[in-house]
Amino acid sequence: MGLDNDQKKNKKKRNRSNEKEKSVEKVVANEEKVPTQQKQQQQGNCNQSKKKKNQEVYPFGNYRNYYGYRISHDTDEDPRLKVLKKEWFEGKDCLDIGCNSGIMTIHIAKKFGCRSILGVDIDSSRIEDAHWHLRKFVRMQNSAKPSEKKSSSEGADGVHGSKEQSVSLSNGEAKTDSAETKDLSQIVSFQKENFVQTRNLDENRYDTILCLSVTKWVHLNWGDDGLITLFSKIWRLLQPGGIFVMEPQPWKSYENNRRVSETTAMNYRTIVLRPDRFQEILLDKVLCLLHFIP
């Protein structure tokens, strides 16, 4: 009997120790699950933030890396530059509406020798990008033309800043005029403006105004009234006999982008003045030389 009691006691002790081991294992297992769950939550949050970045909406066409799809790997410049003519820009004061990150604006100044060119865009981030690109182009220009930089700083009498010579950016040849020698930072400028609504440009006048792949976004965001406002302001800002260069987007492009915001979706349904009528509208309202980029 004594042995039976001892055996029972030992069996109870073993059962209790087994239960303790099991409870310890459960606690450890639960502790291991916590960091695993936290990691899964963190990964889920990262995936959500990545999705949000991929789903960024640009209701005004103010895309980041806009020129990434405009300029292919086979070329180092925007193909639209090939249809632009030097006489539209050389020695002229120009305005680029909807300049985005400013690359096209800078290339026009560099290739065609504008007297000045102002790029405006509704997005302050794109204007920051434009200023960054301008600083980069100026550094490249200065490093590539050390001899021109030196000659421009010395006049015939050795005085800095001579007004007798200026270097043409378009072909690198010197030509005589009364303007001071300029680099790109003196020719190109950028500022944030909602062109349809701003009054900051009302006192300015330009020889050439560009509106490249912008009309659709004005149209979708401000409707037919916004489009007429755009064209009317361009007419007021142009010098007599000025040049307006426009690249309108086709109606199919409107269809593809109509849902980027509630405003664009609503305006899309009420638009009457479709792109195929733009030339007719401009000829009725604008007394200037028109150039369309197909």
Side-chain angles (χ1 to χ4, degrees):
M1 290 291 291
L3 287 171
D4 289 340
N5 289 333
D6 290 339
Q7 286 175 351
K8 287 179 180 178
K9 287 179 182 178
N10 290 334
K11 190 174 182 181
K12 284 180 180 179
K13 286 180 181 178
R14 284 198 299 271
N15 289 337
R16 284 184 195 136
S17 64
N18 287 337
E19 286 175 0
K20 284 181 181 179
E21 286 176 2
K22 286 180 181 178
S23 63
V24 170
E25 286 176 359
K26 285 180 181 179
V27 170
V28 172
N30 288 333
E31 286 177 351
E32 288 176 350
K33 285 180 182 179
V34 170
T36 303
Q37 289 173 349
Q38 287 177 346
K39 285 180 181 178
Q40 288 174 345
Q41 287 176 352
Q42 289 173 354
Q43 287 175 350
N45 292 335
C46 288
N47 290 334
Q48 285 178 356
S49 63
K50 285 179 181 178
K51 285 181 181 178
K52 285 181 180 178
K53 286 182 179 179
N54 292 334
Q55 294 172 355
E56 280 184 303
V57 176
Y58 302 97
F60 305 107
N62 48 319
Y63 302 109
R64 280 193 290 181
N65 302 319
Y66 168 74
Y67 292 97
Y69 82 86
R70 274 285 184 182
I71 304 175
S72 68
H73 297 293
D74 302 328
T75 180
D76 59 351
E77 70 174 24
D78 194 305
R80 292 175 294 182
L81 286 166
K82 293 178 181 177
V83 300
L84 300 178
K85 296 182 179 179
K86 187 174 181 178
E87 57 265 29
W88 298 349
F89 305 99
E90 188 175 24
K92 297 181 184 294
D93 296 315
C94 308
L95 174 66
D96 185 10
I97 301 167
C99 65
N100 196 270
S101 60
I103 293 177
M104 184 70 167
T105 317
I106 296 167
H107 272 296
I108 287 171
K110 188 172 183 292
K111 184 172 184 177
F112 301 121
C114 307
R115 179 164 53 194
S116 71
I117 185 166
L118 169 65
V120 298
D121 199 274
I122 196 170
D123 189 340
S124 58
S125 295
R126 300 294 78 79
I127 292 298
E128 288 176 11
D129 294 341
H131 282 126
W132 184 87
H133 283 124
L134 179 58
R135 290 192 295 271
K136 180 182 176 183
F137 271 83
V138 169
R139 286 196 300 270
M140 291 168 60
Q141 181 190 45
N142 291 339
S143 62
K145 300 180 179 181
S147 59
E148 287 182 7
K149 184 179 177 182
K150 183 178 178 181
S151 63
S152 67
S153 64
E154 298 175 358
D157 56 357
V159 178
H160 177 76
S162 169
K163 296 185 180 182
E164 295 300 320
Q165 295 289 329
S166 73
V167 178
S168 169
L169 289 170
S170 58
N171 55 20
E173 295 175 358
K175 65 179 181 180
T176 302
D177 60 21
S178 60
E180 291 183 352
T181 300
K182 295 181 179 180
D183 63 19
L184 280 172
S185 63
Q186 296 173 296
I187 296 169
V188 183
S189 59
F190 297 102
Q191 67 187 58
K192 177 187 177 298
E193 296 290 352
N194 179 340
F195 185 79
V196 174
Q197 297 178 343
T198 188
R199 299 185 65 88
N200 293 335
L201 304 173
D202 286 359
E203 301 303 315
N204 299 1
R205 293 296 178 268
Y206 299 95
D207 301 300
T208 301
I209 296 180
L210 298 110
C211 188
L212 307 180
S213 291
V214 172
T215 49
K216 173 184 70 178
W217 299 109
V218 171
H219 217 171
L220 284 175
N221 281 282
W222 290 280
D224 286 338
D225 289 342
L227 184 78
I228 295 300
T229 300
L230 170 72
F231 290 159
S232 299
K233 289 188 78 169
I234 288 169
W235 175 75
R236 289 199 304 272
L237 294 179
L238 273 172
Q239 295 280 14
I243 296 171
F244 176 34
V245 184
M246 180 173 68
E247 179 193 23
Q249 296 103 314
W251 183 249
K252 180 65 177 176
S253 180
Y254 284 62
E255 294 177 3
N256 295 339
N257 294 109
R258 68 187 186 277
R259 294 194 182 95
V260 294
S261 72
E262 291 181 6
T263 300
T264 57
M266 180 181 66
N267 285 330
Y268 173 80
R269 293 193 293 269
T270 61
I271 287 174
V272 175
L273 306 175
R274 295 201 178 190
D276 57 3
R277 292 187 58 196
F278 286 1
Q279 189 163 354
E280 170 195 339
I281 295 165
L282 285 164
L283 289 172
D284 285 342
K285 289 184 174 293
V286 183
L287 301 176
C288 68
L289 183 59
L290 300 176
H291 295 283
F292 287 81
I293 296 180

